[in-house]
Amino acid sequence: MRHLPSSTDPNLLRGFDYGADAAIYRLRENLAVVQTVDYITPVVDDPFAFGAIAAANALSDIYAMGARPVLGLNLVGFPVKTLPLGMLNDILRGGAAKLMEAGACLGGGHSIEDLEPKYGLAVTGTVHPKQIVSNSGARPGDVLIVTKPLGIGIITTGIDRGLVNGKTIERVTAVMTQLNRAASEVMLAVGVHACTDVSGFGLLGHLREMVEASGVGAKVILKQVPVLDEAWELVKKDSVPDGSRNNHRYLSEFVDWGRGISPGAQMILCDAQTSGGLLIAVAPQKAKKLLAALARTTASAVIGEIVKSPKGRIRVSVR
């Protein structure tokens, strides 16, 4: 993307050259549109659940920027010669149900024949230009809060390899299908400095983007990071997606691992998430209020803090 020309349009408030979660274009002084697109391959076997997960995942970038989704367009790749169309119908029903839960409407979409199922959404949202929450506003002293547990990528890899039971599948599906809507609304009501969603680059990958964009550093405390219990056992069995390994390799240049951080723990902190939670930087005097409000809808936790330096780096300690 760095080789593409940057836009000179002053109404493009956020674009790819900002490293933002979604593009934002100002239509008038009090209204901007937010646009994002995301689609994935199946992470669970149930087609309806897969559709719901993919939709929640696509909607997440809208919520991370403090916006409200209003319209979604389906993106579909499907092997019509090898899988029944009834399966595609279930996928689309799952996505539509989640879009309806978000309070947005479905306007159509586009499909192609593919070798394996792929599904997601192009989503349009709206936001007041002065109420945008970006990943570039973190300040030294801010408290870091995450709103969903980690380990999703490790567990979905375990599902693919037949290493997990039905109860674990139900649990991780519930996490992935949970919208970040309530967390976003609480974040806006309390007022925060920065936010991003935790998805394919993992917790530390998206935190790295935040500290780089904000010109600050960060500290993360392993013991305070919420993790799905099953992920600890699965990582011992090397149930790790390639994306998580790639994240770990990339982040080696930017993360200082403290003593006692095991290779498995490092992989969990770098685990590529599907429909993960929000990662929020909030002033310390507002952190208690934010946590109390989040507790009504999601299991959130303080995982560290923003520091002045070294800029662009993350220090991880056990405690």
Side-chain angles (χ1 to χ4, degrees), residues 82-319:
T82 57
L83 291 178
L85 285 177
M87 182 179 292
L88 175 58
N89 181 61
D90 288 342
I91 293 170
L92 296 179
R93 286 195 307 108
K98 193 55 59 173
L99 201 62
M100 183 179 297
E101 182 185 336
C105 64
L106 178 64
H110 184 70
S111 63
I112 62 169
E113 185 175 352
D114 207 339
L115 296 177
E116 62 177 336
K118 297 181 180 70
Y119 174 64
L121 291 165
V123 186
T124 299
T126 60
V127 68
H128 192 293
K130 293 184 179 179
Q131 295 178 339
I132 296 168
V133 181
S134 73
N135 65 350
S136 60
R139 304 174 187 177
D142 280 354
V143 173
L144 286 170
I145 295 173
V146 70
T147 66
K148 285 187 184 182
L150 304 187
I152 293 171
I154 289 167
I155 293 176
T156 54
T157 299
I159 293 173
D160 185 56
R161 297 178 183 179
L163 299 175
V164 299
N165 58 33
K167 186 173 291 187
T168 298
I169 294 173
E170 289 179 8
R171 186 178 179 195
V172 74
T173 298
V175 172
M176 291 188 287
T177 54
Q178 181 184 25
L179 291 175
N180 285 320
R181 176 179 181 172
S184 178
E185 290 172 351
V186 166
M187 169 183 78
L188 288 174
V190 172
V192 304
H193 288 151
C195 181
T196 186
D197 68 324
V198 183
S199 52
F201 294 142
L203 173 69
L204 295 188
H206 289 284
L207 178 55
R208 154 66 188 173
E209 289 182 331
M210 181 183 286
V211 296
E212 175 69 14
S214 303
V216 295
K219 291 182 179 179
V220 172
I221 303 170
L222 174 63
K223 292 293 185 181
Q224 296 179 196
V225 177
V227 179
L228 292 164
D229 292 338
E230 297 86 347
W232 292 110
E233 290 302 316
L234 287 168
V235 79
K236 293 176 184 177
K237 299 176 182 179
D238 201 34
S239 173
V240 179
D242 289 340
S244 303
R245 298 185 193 280
N246 292 338
N247 291 341
H248 185 263
R249 282 192 291 269
Y250 168 75
L251 288 165
S252 62
E253 184 180 345
F254 309 107
V255 177
D256 300 314
W257 300 105
R259 179 179 295 182
I261 308 294
S262 68
Q266 292 182 28
M267 202 59 67
I268 285 174
L269 294 178
C270 297
D271 188 35
Q273 307 295 280
T274 298
S275 190
L278 300 183
L279 175 62
I280 301 168
V282 60
Q285 62 268 27
K286 292 184 176 182
K288 186 175 181 180
K289 181 178 180 181
L290 179 60
L291 283 170
L294 287 169
R296 303 187 191 107
T297 57
T298 186
S300 303
V302 173
I303 64 164
E305 64 177 325
I306 296 294
V307 296
K308 186 176 181 179
S309 62
K311 296 178 180 181
R313 297 196 66 82
I314 303 166
R315 167 74 175 176
V316 181
S317 61
V318 173
R319 298 183 186 277

